[in-house]
Amino acid sequence: MPAPAEPIVQIVPTAEAATPLLLGELRAAIARRTRPVIGFATGATFAPLFAALAAEFAAGRIGRTDFVATHLDEYEGFPPARAGGMVHELVTRCPPFADMLAAGAFAPVPADDRLLPAHEERIARLGGVELQFLGIGRNGHVAFNEPGTPFETGFHRTALATTTREDARPRFLPDEPPRHALTAGIASILAARRLVLCAFGKGKAAAVAAMLGARPATSCPASAVRLHGNALVVLDRAASASIGQAAE
Ligand code: GLP
């Protein structure tokens, strides 16, 4: 079998400059398929996209029935209304998602691993994920697939890495960040028809270099996007600064 096409890498001047491109990906997915499932990612990386998406809903340029929303991961024990959780973050950043959740047009990742098989079945029944947005952790994680996670894994419960918990600490203060999360696995992510991974800022430069450097390996979970064949990687200049430099 021929090797899958490497991701297209697009470098934009700033994170904000990526927003029109990301909205374009969303519109293209809606044009390709009736009511596609769109998988969003949480985190600061996508804050400008969610603000812009809220404005698109408000202007009527995108409708609440144009797609079904879902996302990658949730902290264990954080149902949708609980602050600090991923669904809570998504509906806060983009309030129309709350209406979609109430109308059954938003499939939240459950906060309890016993409910993961039903979630996977629901996504499959909806036709699978058409477009999956992805971020990257500074340790190379994608969703909450920490280094060492086998690429063959579907949705699962996982223990969070130390750097992941440290990065998440501010959202849980004064409490400790959770130790476990439920996440789409690499196999779940690779099943989406289109992947768009974004990384902005110098804190991501090493992870981006590892992702695009040597052969895809579980030491850098995000490197699995190179096995997909229909992936776009969007970087700002700072995040792209170390590409091509040998690791270590
Ligand atoms: C979290 C999420 C990832 C996200 C990553 C980067 O841990 N599980 O899906 O991509 O962190 O977050 P940020 O965009 O805030 O850097």
Side-chain angles (χ1 to χ4, degrees), residues 10 36 62 131-132 164 177:
Q10 190 156 344
I62 292 181
L131 167 65
Q132 178 66 62
T164 303

Side-chain angles (χ1 to χ4, degrees), residues 29-126:
I30 293 169
R32 277 198 301 275
R33 199 182 175 97
T34 308
R35 259 192 131 200
V37 177
I38 308 295
F40 291 95
T42 46
T45 303
F46 289 98
L49 172 65
F50 291 127
L53 183 54
E56 292 300 294
F57 278 120
R61 288 189 291 266
I62 292 181
R64 288 164 175 71
T65 56
D66 286 352
F67 64 91
V68 176
T70 190
H71 59 115
L72 289 167
D73 44 29
E74 186 54 276
Y75 293 102
E76 187 174 56
F78 282 72
R82 186 168 174 195
M86 299 305 202
V87 178
H88 186 270
E89 176 187 333
L90 289 165
V91 302
T92 304
R93 290 198 196 276
C94 184
F97 281 161
D99 306 333
M100 292 173 69
L101 192 59
F106 183 127
V109 174
D112 176 334
D113 65 343
R114 288 168 300 187
L115 302 175
L116 289 177
H119 177 70
E120 283 190 296
E121 279 160 31
R122 181 177 181 188
I123 299 296
R125 249 193 340 267
L126 290 164

Side-chain angles (χ1 to χ4, degrees), residues 179-197:
R179 294 189 177 278
H180 294 95
L182 297 317
T183 184
I186 300 289
S188 335
I189 291 169
L190 294 182
R193 284 177 283 277
R194 170 99 171 139
L195 302 181
V196 177
L197 184 147

